[in-house]
Amino acid sequence: MVDPNLVDTYVVGKEGFIVGLCEALGLPETFNQALESVNGRPTDIPYGVDAMIMMVNMCDDHVALSRLNEYYGDCDLEGLFHYPVQLEQINDDRFGGFLDLLFEAGCRKLYTQIAAKAVTLYGIKINNINFDTPSKVMWGQYETDEGTLGVVKMDFGHSKDKRNDKKQIKYALGCADGFVVDARVLSGNMDDKTYNKETLNELDSTLNNLNVSKDSFYYIADSALFSEDNLTIAAGKEIKLITRMPDNVLVAKNSIEEAVHQLEALQTITIDNSKEKGSRYRIMEKICEYAGHNLSLAICYSESLRPSKERTIRKAVTKESDKISGIIKTLSKRNFACEEDANLEISKLTGKALKKVAFHDVTYSIRKEERRRRGRPSKTKDESQPQGYKYFVDVKSTANERKITDAIDRDSCFVLCSNDTALHGDAMLKEYKTQDTVEKKFQQLKSPQFVNSIYLEAPKRIEAFSYLMMLCMLVMSLAEYVVRRGLKEDNDIILGPNKRKMKRPTQRAIYDIFYSVRIRLVRYPDRPWERTFVKPLNDSIKKVLKYLHIPEDTFIMARRN
């Protein structure tokens, strides 16, 4: 009989899942090779294990590096990381030095190596990449690396979090069907047009790394991609683009106006979103020339967008009506000495105060009234003749429903463009709608459940730490992509929390199904310790492990051979 004092049980599913996936991708070996070449001497804990210690914490309940010892306080470290790690070895000095070495080894280089391994290992075919940049507010005071090349800067810039009073850092993500295949950490003041320009110039290297042919590939991004320079770079490198043309471009304005006046005659298509609900669009196609480049345009009217645009326009109509009413009320109390002054006031109104009236028809008229002497009528003077005249400006307005409807229709439209003139409008829209996948990653990146704050001061450590965050996103998004693909091919489901049946589980749902994995550890004094499952793995967990090439014994093995 085993002494109960030598037996412990641990909940290790979520943590073990992240470690198992990292090991399937060869992440520990990649880190070991890269960082050992920088350090030049052996280390007590392999650098790949250091990386996984930090990444497990990032994916779970992120705490500061100084509290990692506390986070892993009740954990079977050797069983989890497959290496004899002691709790006292986990301290912020270790991980500060690790981040310094990671920066020196080249963070992005390591990221691209692991992304390429994932694409090869799981046979992922990439047809397009969606690029975009979120920003993250930084609350602290940061050291500077004056004269150090390649270090990102915490700086003021256009804040997508509406916090222009705070410094920020920016992240650049490239997603293929929701899988984060490319990532960069940017200084806080880098604008999106510059980022797209740099990314286009580096795209050949990125595609070669991912083994992607440019023949059927599309670079997809929001309107920040649209510029004469970027179109020229893309043409020179034979890169096919899909982007949104900014609404203030004359070609876009004219095209939207043209589409609005023939909505009923436009082609109608339905595109399923992530929840498998169809969104209806009407599309007008045309070819145009912009800055010497021939572009295919798809002017898209979104029926699902219309209700929100109508609410916005109706609020603007009410605001405009209130403004006109205020002017009418003020004018009702004013009179003018002559008709010329009244006309001058009308000119001021039409030239300034009411110049931008968009939704009302406004008419102006001058009303003339006799001016008579104040007080009681005189008994001696003839009062039948007025003393003079006074003039009033009358303003009347009525809401113009036609203008309102046209404005709603215009705001429900957007213009997509591509330098591939053979691309039809419906195909262009379907490709562009995949941009939602990268935008959803922003929610994860900013979620407190992922990483709430970066408790570092040195910019190079923040940059290295940020690339570890991106690797966490790569690992989690990879799990989502591969599991969804496997379930679709097998026409199967997995059971999530509360026994919910899932055909397309999210990465969070996949992560959470491992909550039930518990192991029993027996610390024999005279022979190797033994790890066993408290209860067998359920079918859903086994399916996920199978799709991701993770061995089922990853939770109970002591060391990786």
XYZ file of all heavy atoms in Angstrom, residues 226-233 235 245 249 251 288-295:
154
model
N -4.228 51.084 -49.360
C -4.478 51.776 -50.622
C -3.650 53.050 -50.708
O -3.887 54.024 -49.988
C -5.965 52.116 -50.751
C -6.313 52.717 -52.085
C -6.565 51.914 -53.184
C -6.364 54.098 -52.257
C -6.863 52.468 -54.420
C -6.667 54.663 -53.470
C -6.916 53.840 -54.562
N -2.657 53.051 -51.562
C -1.860 54.246 -51.849
C -1.153 54.031 -53.179
O -0.963 52.893 -53.624
C -0.830 54.516 -50.745
O 0.220 53.570 -50.786
N -0.758 55.116 -53.794
C -0.059 55.021 -55.074
C 1.248 54.255 -54.921
O 1.587 53.416 -55.767
C 0.206 56.432 -55.620
C 0.870 56.445 -56.975
C 1.084 57.850 -57.522
O 0.489 58.807 -56.959
O 1.842 57.988 -58.505
N 1.987 54.521 -53.828
C 3.258 53.826 -53.612
C 3.055 52.318 -53.492
O 3.794 51.527 -54.086
C 3.935 54.348 -52.336
C 4.601 55.699 -52.546
O 4.732 56.108 -53.718
O 4.979 56.329 -51.549
N 2.056 51.913 -52.695
C 1.835 50.482 -52.490
C 1.361 49.780 -53.759
O 1.737 48.633 -54.022
C 0.827 50.271 -51.356
C 1.418 50.605 -49.995
O 2.629 50.675 -49.839
N 0.559 50.820 -49.011
N 0.557 50.472 -54.547
C 0.135 49.885 -55.823
C 1.328 49.706 -56.756
O 1.429 48.703 -57.470
C -0.923 50.777 -56.480
C -2.301 50.803 -55.813
C -3.177 51.879 -56.441
C -2.984 49.438 -55.921
N 2.250 50.659 -56.712
C 3.442 50.573 -57.558
C 4.357 49.438 -57.116
O 4.884 48.675 -57.940
C 4.206 51.911 -57.528
O 3.335 52.961 -57.986
C 5.439 51.857 -58.410
N 4.539 49.312 -55.793
C 5.371 48.207 -55.272
C 4.759 46.864 -55.646
O 5.450 45.945 -56.102
C 5.514 48.324 -53.738
C 6.327 49.568 -53.371
C 6.180 47.079 -53.170
C 6.331 49.879 -51.891
N 2.785 46.132 -58.100
C 2.908 45.875 -59.539
C 4.316 45.391 -59.878
O 4.495 44.455 -60.668
C 2.577 47.134 -60.322
N -11.019 50.805 -50.866
C -10.666 52.143 -51.320
C -11.285 53.158 -50.366
O -12.487 53.085 -50.071
C -11.180 52.377 -52.746
C -10.774 53.716 -53.339
S -11.366 53.931 -55.055
C -10.225 52.868 -55.947
N -11.727 59.139 -51.618
C -11.119 59.118 -52.952
C -12.223 59.410 -53.970
O -13.310 58.823 -53.911
C -10.450 57.762 -53.237
C -9.934 57.693 -54.662
C -9.306 57.525 -52.248
N -12.740 58.615 -57.023
C -13.246 57.450 -57.751
C -14.265 56.692 -56.909
O -15.304 56.248 -57.403
C -12.088 56.510 -58.144
C -12.625 55.221 -58.762
C -11.142 57.203 -59.104
N -11.406 50.717 -63.396
C -11.021 52.132 -63.406
C -9.500 52.239 -63.456
O -8.776 51.247 -63.288
C -11.573 52.850 -62.175
S -10.620 52.551 -60.669
N -9.030 53.448 -63.658
C -7.593 53.716 -63.614
C -7.318 54.678 -62.474
O -8.014 55.683 -62.298
C -7.118 54.323 -64.932
C -5.606 54.585 -64.955
C -5.125 55.185 -66.258
O -5.669 54.796 -67.306
O -4.227 56.039 -66.209
N -6.310 54.350 -61.673
C -5.924 55.229 -60.563
C -4.403 55.340 -60.557
O -3.695 54.337 -60.423
C -6.420 54.675 -59.221
C -6.036 55.531 -58.037
C -6.804 56.625 -57.669
C -4.884 55.251 -57.300
C -6.448 57.421 -56.595
C -4.513 56.037 -56.225
C -5.301 57.124 -55.879
O -4.943 57.915 -54.813
N -3.906 56.554 -60.717
C -2.464 56.832 -60.689
C -1.691 55.903 -61.627
O -0.602 55.411 -61.293
C -1.929 56.713 -59.262
N -2.284 55.641 -62.806
C -1.612 54.816 -63.792
C -1.784 53.326 -63.602
O -1.176 52.540 -64.341
N -2.600 52.901 -62.633
C -2.815 51.486 -62.365
C -4.264 51.113 -62.698
O -5.197 51.805 -62.269
C -2.541 51.155 -60.898
C -1.132 51.437 -60.470
N -0.094 50.575 -60.724
C -0.596 52.505 -59.813
C 1.026 51.076 -60.225
N 0.747 52.260 -59.677
N -4.446 50.040 -63.446
C -5.786 49.554 -63.735
C -6.282 48.727 -62.544
O -5.592 47.816 -62.082
C -5.792 48.690 -65.001
C -5.552 49.517 -66.248
O -5.973 50.673 -66.336
N -4.861 48.938 -67.224
N -7.468 49.081 -62.062
C -8.020 48.431 -60.879
C -9.413 47.893 -61.172
O -10.192 48.518 -61.899
C -8.105 49.413 -59.704
C -6.805 50.066 -59.243
C -7.097 51.057 -58.130
C -5.813 49.017 -58.765
